[in-house]
C-alpha cells in the first residue's frame, strides 16, 4: 500500500487538484511616473530646490534630473503608486513659480502623470 501512496504523491497534479481561489486576489494598480517638463523661464536653482524639497533627493541627483529635463524637453523624475504620484505633483505645483522669475512670466513647474509602461 505504501508504494501506491508514493506513486500517487509523485503523480502530476490534475487541474482539479490545482484550483485556486481567485476571489480574494486583488489586482494591483500599475505604477505611475511623474514627468517634469522643461520651461525656459524657471531657473535651474529653483527646479533643483523643488526636487530636493518634494522628493528628498541628493543635490547631485537633482542636478542630473534637471539637466535631463532641459536637454530632452521632459523626463521621468519619480515613479510609484498613483496616490503618492498625485501628491508629489500637487506638492510641486503648490511651490508656484520661481519668485525671481515671476516678473518674466514664470509659471509653476509643469508636471504630468502617466502610467508606467509595463
Amino acid at each position: 500500500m505504501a508504494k501506491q501512496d508514493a506513486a500517487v504523491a509523485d503523480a502530476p497534479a490534475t487541474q482539479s487538484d490545482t484550483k485556486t481561489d481567485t476571489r480574494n486576489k486583488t489586482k494591483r494598480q500599475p505604477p505611475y511616473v511623474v514627468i517634469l517638463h522643461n520651461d525656459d523661464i524657471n531657473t535651474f536653482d529653483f527646479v533643483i530646490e523643488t526636487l530636493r524639497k518634494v522628493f528628498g533627493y541628493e543635490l547631485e541627483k537633482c542636478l542630473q534630473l534637471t539637466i535631463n529635463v532641459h536637454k530632452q524637453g521632459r523626463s521621468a523624475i519619480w515613479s510609484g503608486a498613483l496616490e503618492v504620484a498625485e501628491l508629489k505633483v500637487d506638492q510641486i505645483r503648490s511651490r508656484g513659480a520661481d519668485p525671481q522669475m515671476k516678473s518674466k512670466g514664470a509659471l509653476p513647474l509643469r508636471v504630468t502623470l502617466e502610467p508606467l509602461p509595463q
Side-chain angles (χ1 to χ4, degrees):
M1 186 79 167
K3 284 186 179 183
Q4 284 180 338
D5 290 338
V8 171
D10 291 337
T14 63
Q15 188 172 5
S16 62
D17 292 335
T18 60
K19 283 186 182 176
T20 56
D21 185 5
T22 57
R23 292 175 288 176
N24 293 332
K25 290 189 178 185
T26 57
K27 188 174 181 181
R28 296 191 77 172
Q29 279 190 327
Y32 278 74
V33 63
V34 176
I35 306 287
L36 179 63
H37 299 261
N38 187 47
D39 73 57
D40 293 325
I41 301 176
N42 287 297
T43 63
F44 267 50
D45 288 340
F46 178 74
V47 175
I48 290 167
E49 178 186 333
T50 298
L51 294 175
R52 289 192 78 183
K53 286 190 177 204
V54 172
F55 298 102
Y57 293 154
E58 295 293 325
L59 179 62
E60 295 79 19
K61 182 171 183 169
C62 294
L63 178 60
Q64 189 58 55
L65 289 170
T66 303
I67 291 169
N68 290 347
V69 169
H70 182 71
K71 286 182 178 179
Q72 298 171 11
R74 63 182 238 148
S75 184
I77 56 173
W78 185 89
S79 65
L82 176 60
E83 293 80 12
V84 179
E86 290 171 335
L87 174 64
K88 297 299 182 187
V89 167
D90 287 344
Q91 290 173 330
I92 291 170
R93 289 179 181 156
S94 72
R95 293 204 19 95
D98 184 342
Q100 296 176 6
M101 303 307 285
K102 278 189 179 180
S103 64
K104 295 185 179 182
L107 299 170
L109 297 176
R110 184 167 168 239
V111 287
T112 57
L113 284 178
E114 296 177 9
L116 194 63
Q118 302 271 339

